[in-house]
PDB file of all heavy atoms in Angstrom:
ATOM      1  N   ALA A   1    -156.305-132.933 -77.470  1.00 98.00           N
ATOM      2  CA  ALA A   1    -155.330-131.851 -77.464  1.00 98.00           C
ATOM      3  C   ALA A   1    -155.958-130.632 -78.133  1.00 98.00           C
ATOM      4  O   ALA A   1    -156.768-130.763 -79.067  1.00 98.00           O
ATOM      5  CB  ALA A   1    -154.078-132.265 -78.235  1.00 98.00           C
ATOM      6  N   ASP A   2    -155.599-129.449 -77.657  1.00 98.00           N
ATOM      7  CA  ASP A   2    -156.174-128.231 -78.216  1.00 98.00           C
ATOM      8  C   ASP A   2    -155.931-128.126 -79.722  1.00 98.00           C
ATOM      9  O   ASP A   2    -156.772-127.617 -80.468  1.00 98.00           O
ATOM     10  CB  ASP A   2    -155.588-127.002 -77.520  1.00 98.00           C
ATOM     11  CG  ASP A   2    -156.099-126.841 -76.100  1.00 98.00           C
ATOM     12  OD1 ASP A   2    -157.140-127.448 -75.765  1.00 98.00           O
ATOM     13  OD2 ASP A   2    -155.470-126.103 -75.321  1.00 98.00           O
ATOM     14  N   SER A   3    -154.810-128.633 -80.168  1.00 98.00           N
ATOM     15  CA  SER A   3    -154.436-128.491 -81.576  1.00 98.00           C
ATOM     16  C   SER A   3    -155.321-129.284 -82.525  1.00 98.00           C
ATOM     17  O   SER A   3    -155.308-129.033 -83.733  1.00 98.00           O
ATOM     18  CB  SER A   3    -152.976-128.897 -81.773  1.00 98.00           C
ATOM     19  OG  SER A   3    -152.778-130.244 -81.367  1.00 98.00           O
ATOM     20  N   VAL A   4    -156.070-130.240 -81.998  1.00 98.00           N
ATOM     21  CA  VAL A   4    -156.890-131.079 -82.877  1.00 98.00           C
ATOM     22  C   VAL A   4    -158.388-130.951 -82.595  1.00 98.00           C
ATOM     23  O   VAL A   4    -159.198-131.553 -83.306  1.00 98.00           O
ATOM     24  CB  VAL A   4    -156.468-132.567 -82.800  1.00 98.00           C
ATOM     25  CG1 VAL A   4    -154.981-132.727 -83.068  1.00 98.00           C
ATOM     26  CG2 VAL A   4    -156.852-133.189 -81.463  1.00 98.00           C
ATOM     27  N   LYS A   5    -158.744-130.196 -81.590  1.00 98.00           N
ATOM     28  CA  LYS A   5    -160.162-130.045 -81.254  1.00 98.00           C
ATOM     29  C   LYS A   5    -160.938-129.493 -82.441  1.00 98.00           C
ATOM     30  O   LYS A   5    -160.512-128.554 -83.102  1.00 98.00           O
ATOM     31  CB  LYS A   5    -160.319-129.115 -80.051  1.00 98.00           C
ATOM     32  CG  LYS A   5    -160.006-129.753 -78.713  1.00 98.00           C
ATOM     33  CD  LYS A   5    -160.211-128.773 -77.562  1.00 98.00           C
ATOM     34  CE  LYS A   5    -159.870-129.424 -76.235  1.00 98.00           C
ATOM     35  NZ  LYS A   5    -159.977-128.464 -75.110  1.00 98.00           N
ATOM     36  N   GLY A   6    -162.074-130.117 -82.689  1.00 98.00           N
ATOM     37  CA  GLY A   6    -162.907-129.683 -83.810  1.00 98.00           C
ATOM     38  C   GLY A   6    -162.525-130.305 -85.141  1.00 98.00           C
ATOM     39  O   GLY A   6    -163.281-130.189 -86.116  1.00 98.00           O
ATOM     40  N   ARG A   7    -161.380-130.963 -85.205  1.00 98.00           N
ATOM     41  CA  ARG A   7    -160.934-131.588 -86.451  1.00 98.00           C
ATOM     42  C   ARG A   7    -160.850-133.113 -86.339  1.00 98.00           C
ATOM     43  O   ARG A   7    -161.120-133.825 -87.305  1.00 98.00           O
ATOM     44  CB  ARG A   7    -159.556-131.058 -86.852  1.00 98.00           C
ATOM     45  CG  ARG A   7    -159.522-129.562 -87.089  1.00 98.00           C
ATOM     46  CD  ARG A   7    -158.186-129.116 -87.683  1.00 98.00           C
ATOM     47  NE  ARG A   7    -157.059-129.386 -86.798  1.00 98.00           N
ATOM     48  CZ  ARG A   7    -156.010-130.128 -87.138  1.00 98.00           C
ATOM     49  NH1 ARG A   7    -155.934-130.689 -88.329  1.00 98.00           N
ATOM     50  NH2 ARG A   7    -155.011-130.299 -86.278  1.00 98.00           N
ATOM     51  N   PHE A   8    -160.443-133.597 -85.174  1.00 98.00           N
ATOM     52  CA  PHE A   8    -160.282-135.035 -84.960  1.00 98.00           C
ATOM     53  C   PHE A   8    -161.390-135.551 -84.059  1.00 98.00           C
ATOM     54  O   PHE A   8    -161.844-134.851 -83.147  1.00 98.00           O
ATOM     55  CB  PHE A   8    -158.938-135.338 -84.300  1.00 98.00           C
ATOM     56  CG  PHE A   8    -157.720-135.089 -85.151  1.00 98.00           C
ATOM     57  CD1 PHE A   8    -157.798-134.445 -86.379  1.00 98.00           C
ATOM     58  CD2 PHE A   8    -156.477-135.510 -84.713  1.00 98.00           C
ATOM     59  CE1 PHE A   8    -156.683-134.217 -87.154  1.00 98.00           C
ATOM     60  CE2 PHE A   8    -155.336-135.291 -85.480  1.00 98.00           C
ATOM     61  CZ  PHE A   8    -155.440-134.642 -86.699  1.00 98.00           C
ATOM     62  N   THR A   9    -161.771-136.803 -84.273  1.00 98.00           N
ATOM     63  CA  THR A   9    -162.770-137.445 -83.429  1.00 98.00           C
ATOM     64  C   THR A   9    -162.297-138.848 -83.074  1.00 98.00           C
ATOM     65  O   THR A   9    -161.988-139.649 -83.965  1.00 98.00           O
ATOM     66  CB  THR A   9    -164.129-137.543 -84.136  1.00 98.00           C
ATOM     67  OG1 THR A   9    -164.569-136.235 -84.510  1.00 98.00           O
ATOM     68  CG2 THR A   9    -165.163-138.175 -83.213  1.00 98.00           C
ATOM     69  N   ILE A  10    -162.239-139.119 -81.791  1.00 98.00           N
ATOM     70  CA  ILE A  10    -161.863-140.444 -81.316  1.00 98.00           C
ATOM     71  C   ILE A  10    -163.132-141.217 -80.980  1.00 98.00           C
ATOM     72  O   ILE A  10    -164.103-140.645 -80.476  1.00 98.00           O
ATOM     73  CB  ILE A  10    -160.919-140.355 -80.091  1.00 98.00           C
ATOM     74  CG1 ILE A  10    -160.346-141.721 -79.735  1.00 98.00           C
ATOM     75  CG2 ILE A  10    -161.609-139.720 -78.897  1.00 98.00           C
ATOM     76  CD1 ILE A  10    -159.240-141.660 -78.678  1.00 98.00           C
ATOM     77  N   SER A  11    -163.114-142.507 -81.273  1.00 97.00           N
ATOM     78  CA  SER A  11    -164.260-143.358 -80.949  1.00 97.00           C
ATOM     79  C   SER A  11    -163.755-144.769 -80.695  1.00 97.00           C
ATOM     80  O   SER A  11    -162.590-145.078 -80.962  1.00 97.00           O
ATOM     81  CB  SER A  11    -165.288-143.352 -82.082  1.00 97.00           C
ATOM     82  OG  SER A  11    -164.715-143.856 -83.283  1.00 97.00           O
ATOM     83  N   ARG A  12    -164.647-145.611 -80.163  1.00 95.00           N
ATOM     84  CA  ARG A  12    -164.248-146.985 -79.926  1.00 95.00           C
ATOM     85  C   ARG A  12    -165.427-147.915 -80.128  1.00 95.00           C
ATOM     86  O   ARG A  12    -166.583-147.521 -79.990  1.00 95.00           O
ATOM     87  CB  ARG A  12    -163.655-147.176 -78.509  1.00 95.00           C
ATOM     88  CG  ARG A  12    -164.668-147.460 -77.388  1.00 95.00           C
ATOM     89  CD  ARG A  12    -165.283-146.201 -76.880  1.00 95.00           C
ATOM     90  NE  ARG A  12    -166.108-146.407 -75.708  1.00 95.00           N
ATOM     91  CZ  ARG A  12    -167.407-146.210 -75.684  1.00 95.00           C
ATOM     92  NH1 ARG A  12    -168.041-145.830 -76.764  1.00 95.00           N
ATOM     93  NH2 ARG A  12    -168.089-146.394 -74.576  1.00 95.00           N
ATOM     94  N   ASP A  13    -165.092-149.151 -80.465  1.00 94.00           N
ATOM     95  CA  ASP A  13    -166.067-150.224 -80.589  1.00 94.00           C
ATOM     96  C   ASP A  13    -165.712-151.234 -79.498  1.00 94.00           C
ATOM     97  O   ASP A  13    -164.741-151.983 -79.628  1.00 94.00           O
ATOM     98  CB  ASP A  13    -165.975-150.851 -81.984  1.00 94.00           C
ATOM     99  CG  ASP A  13    -167.010-151.931 -82.216  1.00 94.00           C
ATOM    100  OD1 ASP A  13    -167.407-152.599 -81.236  1.00 94.00           O
ATOM    101  OD2 ASP A  13    -167.402-152.137 -83.369  1.00 94.00           O
ATOM    102  N   LYS A  14    -166.491-151.212 -78.433  1.00 90.00           N
ATOM    103  CA  LYS A  14    -166.132-152.050 -77.285  1.00 90.00           C
ATOM    104  C   LYS A  14    -166.156-153.529 -77.636  1.00 90.00           C
ATOM    105  O   LYS A  14    -165.309-154.298 -77.193  1.00 90.00           O
ATOM    106  CB  LYS A  14    -167.088-151.767 -76.116  1.00 90.00           C
ATOM    107  CG  LYS A  14    -166.889-150.386 -75.502  1.00 90.00           C
ATOM    108  CD  LYS A  14    -167.540-150.286 -74.130  1.00 90.00           C
ATOM    109  CE  LYS A  14    -169.028-150.348 -74.185  1.00 90.00           C
ATOM    110  NZ  LYS A  14    -169.643-150.160 -72.856  1.00 90.00           N
ATOM    111  N   ALA A  15    -167.127-153.924 -78.422  1.00 91.00           N
ATOM    112  CA  ALA A  15    -167.271-155.344 -78.751  1.00 91.00           C
ATOM    113  C   ALA A  15    -166.075-155.869 -79.536  1.00 91.00           C
ATOM    114  O   ALA A  15    -165.686-157.023 -79.393  1.00 91.00           O
ATOM    115  CB  ALA A  15    -168.558-155.566 -79.535  1.00 91.00           C
ATOM    116  N   ARG A  16    -165.489-154.999 -80.344  1.00 92.00           N
ATOM    117  CA  ARG A  16    -164.351-155.410 -81.173  1.00 92.00           C
ATOM    118  C   ARG A  16    -163.013-154.977 -80.598  1.00 92.00           C
ATOM    119  O   ARG A  16    -161.978-155.214 -81.215  1.00 92.00           O
ATOM    120  CB  ARG A  16    -164.509-154.831 -82.582  1.00 92.00           C
ATOM    121  CG  ARG A  16    -165.748-155.320 -83.294  1.00 92.00           C
ATOM    122  CD  ARG A  16    -165.829-154.806 -84.719  1.00 92.00           C
ATOM    123  NE  ARG A  16    -167.010-155.312 -85.413  1.00 92.00           N
ATOM    124  CZ  ARG A  16    -167.295-155.110 -86.682  1.00 92.00           C
ATOM    125  NH1 ARG A  16    -166.477-154.394 -87.428  1.00 92.00           N
ATOM    126  NH2 ARG A  16    -168.386-155.606 -87.217  1.00 92.00           N
ATOM    127  N   ASN A  17    -163.039-154.330 -79.439  1.00 91.00           N
ATOM    128  CA  ASN A  17    -161.792-153.828 -78.827  1.00 91.00           C
ATOM    129  C   ASN A  17    -160.980-153.029 -79.845  1.00 91.00           C
ATOM    130  O   ASN A  17    -159.757-153.221 -79.971  1.00 91.00           O
ATOM    131  CB  ASN A  17    -160.961-154.988 -78.269  1.00 91.00           C
ATOM    132  CG  ASN A  17    -161.515-155.513 -76.968  1.00 91.00           C
ATOM    133  OD1 ASN A  17    -161.822-154.744 -76.053  1.00 91.00           O
ATOM    134  ND2 ASN A  17    -161.670-156.812 -76.880  1.00 91.00           N
ATOM    135  N   THR A  18    -161.659-152.176 -80.550  1.00 95.00           N
ATOM    136  CA  THR A  18    -161.024-151.375 -81.595  1.00 95.00           C
ATOM    137  C   THR A  18    -161.300-149.896 -81.338  1.00 95.00           C
ATOM    138  O   THR A  18    -162.392-149.523 -80.918  1.00 95.00           O
ATOM    139  CB  THR A  18    -161.549-151.774 -82.978  1.00 95.00           C
ATOM    140  OG1 THR A  18    -161.264-153.161 -83.202  1.00 95.00           O
ATOM    141  CG2 THR A  18    -160.882-150.965 -84.075  1.00 95.00           C
ATOM    142  N   MET A  19    -160.293-149.107 -81.592  1.00 96.00           N
ATOM    143  CA  MET A  19    -160.383-147.660 -81.407  1.00 96.00           C
ATOM    144  C   MET A  19    -160.107-146.984 -82.738  1.00 96.00           C
ATOM    145  O   MET A  19    -159.328-147.519 -83.552  1.00 96.00           O
ATOM    146  CB  MET A  19    -159.351-147.226 -80.369  1.00 96.00           C
ATOM    147  CG  MET A  19    -159.209-145.741 -80.170  1.00 96.00           C
ATOM    148  SD  MET A  19    -158.039-145.343 -78.848  1.00 96.00           S
ATOM    149  CE  MET A  19    -156.527-146.049 -79.470  1.00 96.00           C
ATOM    150  N   TYR A  20    -160.728-145.841 -82.955  1.00 98.00           N
ATOM    151  CA  TYR A  20    -160.581-145.126 -84.212  1.00 98.00           C
ATOM    152  C   TYR A  20    -160.196-143.672 -83.971  1.00 98.00           C
ATOM    153  O   TYR A  20    -160.495-143.108 -82.918  1.00 98.00           O
ATOM    154  CB  TYR A  20    -161.896-145.166 -85.009  1.00 98.00           C
ATOM    155  CG  TYR A  20    -162.428-146.554 -85.227  1.00 98.00           C
ATOM    156  CD1 TYR A  20    -163.387-147.093 -84.375  1.00 98.00           C
ATOM    157  CD2 TYR A  20    -161.966-147.336 -86.279  1.00 98.00           C
ATOM    158  CE1 TYR A  20    -163.877-148.371 -84.565  1.00 98.00           C
ATOM    159  CE2 TYR A  20    -162.453-148.625 -86.481  1.00 98.00           C
ATOM    160  CZ  TYR A  20    -163.407-149.132 -85.618  1.00 98.00           C
ATOM    161  OH  TYR A  20    -163.879-150.405 -85.809  1.00 98.00           O
ATOM    162  N   LEU A  21    -159.571-143.081 -84.957  1.00 98.00           N
ATOM    163  CA  LEU A  21    -159.313-141.649 -84.935  1.00 98.00           C
ATOM    164  C   LEU A  21    -159.655-141.106 -86.316  1.00 98.00           C
ATOM    165  O   LEU A  21    -158.938-141.367 -87.281  1.00 98.00           O
ATOM    166  CB  LEU A  21    -157.851-141.337 -84.585  1.00 98.00           C
ATOM    167  CG  LEU A  21    -157.549-139.855 -84.404  1.00 98.00           C
ATOM    168  CD1 LEU A  21    -158.254-139.301 -83.158  1.00 98.00           C
ATOM    169  CD2 LEU A  21    -156.041-139.606 -84.305  1.00 98.00           C
ATOM    170  N   GLN A  22    -160.760-140.395 -86.396  1.00 98.00           N
ATOM    171  CA  GLN A  22    -161.140-139.731 -87.632  1.00 98.00           C
ATOM    172  C   GLN A  22    -160.474-138.374 -87.666  1.00 98.00           C
ATOM    173  O   GLN A  22    -160.691-137.552 -86.780  1.00 98.00           O
ATOM    174  CB  GLN A  22    -162.663-139.585 -87.719  1.00 98.00           C
ATOM    175  CG  GLN A  22    -163.143-138.860 -88.966  1.00 98.00           C
ATOM    176  CD  GLN A  22    -162.870-139.638 -90.235  1.00 98.00           C
ATOM    177  OE1 GLN A  22    -163.083-140.848 -90.284  1.00 98.00           O
ATOM    178  NE2 GLN A  22    -162.409-138.948 -91.274  1.00 98.00           N
ATOM    179  N   MET A  23    -159.660-138.144 -88.684  1.00 98.00           N
ATOM    180  CA  MET A  23    -158.897-136.903 -88.780  1.00 98.00           C
ATOM    181  C   MET A  23    -159.353-136.145 -90.021  1.00 98.00           C
ATOM    182  O   MET A  23    -159.179-136.631 -91.143  1.00 98.00           O
ATOM    183  CB  MET A  23    -157.397-137.216 -88.866  1.00 98.00           C
ATOM    184  CG  MET A  23    -156.890-138.067 -87.717  1.00 98.00           C
ATOM    185  SD  MET A  23    -155.102-138.305 -87.733  1.00 98.00           S
ATOM    186  CE  MET A  23    -154.915-139.272 -89.218  1.00 98.00           C
ATOM    187  N   ASN A  24    -159.927-134.983 -89.800  1.00 98.00           N
ATOM    188  CA  ASN A  24    -160.407-134.129 -90.884  1.00 98.00           C
ATOM    189  C   ASN A  24    -159.618-132.824 -90.913  1.00 98.00           C
ATOM    190  O   ASN A  24    -158.957-132.465 -89.942  1.00 98.00           O
ATOM    191  CB  ASN A  24    -161.890-133.830 -90.712  1.00 98.00           C
ATOM    192  CG  ASN A  24    -162.761-135.076 -90.743  1.00 98.00           C
ATOM    193  OD1 ASN A  24    -162.463-136.050 -91.440  1.00 98.00           O
ATOM    194  ND2 ASN A  24    -163.851-135.048 -89.994  1.00 98.00           N
ATOM    195  N   SER A  25    -159.719-132.127 -92.014  1.00 98.00           N
ATOM    196  CA  SER A  25    -159.045-130.835 -92.167  1.00 98.00           C
ATOM    197  C   SER A  25    -157.580-130.934 -91.766  1.00 98.00           C
ATOM    198  O   SER A  25    -157.064-130.099 -90.997  1.00 98.00           O
ATOM    199  CB  SER A  25    -159.760-129.759 -91.330  1.00 98.00           C
ATOM    200  OG  SER A  25    -161.103-129.634 -91.709  1.00 98.00           O
ATOM    201  N   LEU A  26    -156.926-131.940 -92.265  1.00 98.00           N
ATOM    202  CA  LEU A  26    -155.530-132.186 -91.877  1.00 98.00           C
ATOM    203  C   LEU A  26    -154.616-131.058 -92.324  1.00 98.00           C
ATOM    204  O   LEU A  26    -154.815-130.448 -93.385  1.00 98.00           O
ATOM    205  CB  LEU A  26    -155.060-133.517 -92.451  1.00 98.00           C
ATOM    206  CG  LEU A  26    -155.563-134.750 -91.675  1.00 98.00           C
ATOM    207  CD1 LEU A  26    -155.471-136.004 -92.523  1.00 98.00           C
ATOM    208  CD2 LEU A  26    -154.772-134.911 -90.382  1.00 98.00           C
ATOM    209  N   LYS A  27    -153.610-130.811 -91.504  1.00 98.00           N
ATOM    210  CA  LYS A  27    -152.629-129.760 -91.747  1.00 98.00           C
ATOM    211  C   LYS A  27    -151.239-130.379 -91.829  1.00 98.00           C
ATOM    212  O   LYS A  27    -151.004-131.442 -91.251  1.00 98.00           O
ATOM    213  CB  LYS A  27    -152.664-128.741 -90.605  1.00 98.00           C
ATOM    214  CG  LYS A  27    -154.021-128.129 -90.329  1.00 98.00           C
ATOM    215  CD  LYS A  27    -153.970-127.223 -89.110  1.00 98.00           C
ATOM    216  CE  LYS A  27    -155.318-126.612 -88.804  1.00 98.00           C
ATOM    217  NZ  LYS A  27    -155.274-125.730 -87.605  1.00 98.00           N
ATOM    218  N   PRO A  28    -150.305-129.708 -92.498  1.00 97.00           N
ATOM    219  CA  PRO A  28    -148.935-130.243 -92.547  1.00 97.00           C
ATOM    220  C   PRO A  28    -148.348-130.501 -91.160  1.00 97.00           C
ATOM    221  O   PRO A  28    -147.587-131.456 -90.975  1.00 97.00           O
ATOM    222  CB  PRO A  28    -148.171-129.149 -93.293  1.00 97.00           C
ATOM    223  CG  PRO A  28    -149.188-128.539 -94.181  1.00 97.00           C
ATOM    224  CD  PRO A  28    -150.462-128.541 -93.370  1.00 97.00           C
ATOM    225  N   GLU A  29    -148.724-129.697 -90.190  1.00 97.00           N
ATOM    226  CA  GLU A  29    -148.197-129.893 -88.841  1.00 97.00           C
ATOM    227  C   GLU A  29    -148.778-131.120 -88.144  1.00 97.00           C
ATOM    228  O   GLU A  29    -148.345-131.462 -87.046  1.00 97.00           O
ATOM    229  CB  GLU A  29    -148.434-128.642 -87.979  1.00 97.00           C
ATOM    230  CG  GLU A  29    -149.851-128.120 -87.975  1.00 97.00           C
ATOM    231  CD  GLU A  29    -150.065-126.994 -88.983  1.00 97.00           C
ATOM    232  OE1 GLU A  29    -149.574-127.099 -90.138  1.00 97.00           O
ATOM    233  OE2 GLU A  29    -150.734-126.008 -88.597  1.00 97.00           O
ATOM    234  N   ASP A  30    -149.734-131.775 -88.760  1.00 98.00           N
ATOM    235  CA  ASP A  30    -150.231-133.041 -88.221  1.00 98.00           C
ATOM    236  C   ASP A  30    -149.343-134.222 -88.629  1.00 98.00           C
ATOM    237  O   ASP A  30    -149.556-135.346 -88.172  1.00 98.00           O
ATOM    238  CB  ASP A  30    -151.661-133.312 -88.705  1.00 98.00           C
ATOM    239  CG  ASP A  30    -152.663-132.318 -88.168  1.00 98.00           C
ATOM    240  OD1 ASP A  30    -152.589-131.976 -86.978  1.00 98.00           O
ATOM    241  OD2 ASP A  30    -153.536-131.871 -88.957  1.00 98.00           O
ATOM    242  N   THR A  31    -148.373-133.969 -89.481  1.00 98.00           N
ATOM    243  CA  THR A  31    -147.467-135.019 -89.928  1.00 98.00           C
ATOM    244  C   THR A  31    -146.693-135.595 -88.739  1.00 98.00           C
ATOM    245  O   THR A  31    -146.060-134.858 -87.984  1.00 98.00           O
ATOM    246  CB  THR A  31    -146.479-134.473 -90.972  1.00 98.00           C
ATOM    247  OG1 THR A  31    -147.215-134.087 -92.146  1.00 98.00           O
ATOM    248  CG2 THR A  31    -145.431-135.523 -91.343  1.00 98.00           C
ATOM    249  N   ALA A  32    -146.776-136.896 -88.575  1.00 98.00           N
ATOM    250  CA  ALA A  32    -146.132-137.574 -87.445  1.00 98.00           C
ATOM    251  C   ALA A  32    -146.383-139.071 -87.553  1.00 98.00           C
ATOM    252  O   ALA A  32    -147.175-139.524 -88.391  1.00 98.00           O
ATOM    253  CB  ALA A  32    -146.701-137.063 -86.124  1.00 98.00           C
TER     254      ALA A  32
END
């Protein structure tokens, strides 16, 4: 989403069937 570009990074570990979301420079509007 445009609102998170440059701040959030999505990644996955295929072997573990696990997905991650690294969230940096968080803002109050990210509350959810």
Side-chain angles (χ1 to χ4, degrees):
D2 288 342
S3 59
V4 306
K5 282 181 181 176
R7 300 188 298 122
F8 292 9
T9 302
I10 189 171
S11 61
R12 87 278 188 245
D13 183 330
K14 290 197 292 184
R16 298 184 178 185
N17 284 312
T18 300
M19 174 176 61
Y20 306 96
L21 186 68
Q22 178 66 43
M23 304 185 294
N24 299 327
S25 302
L26 282 161
K27 305 175 181 180
E29 51 264 43
D30 294 318
T31 295

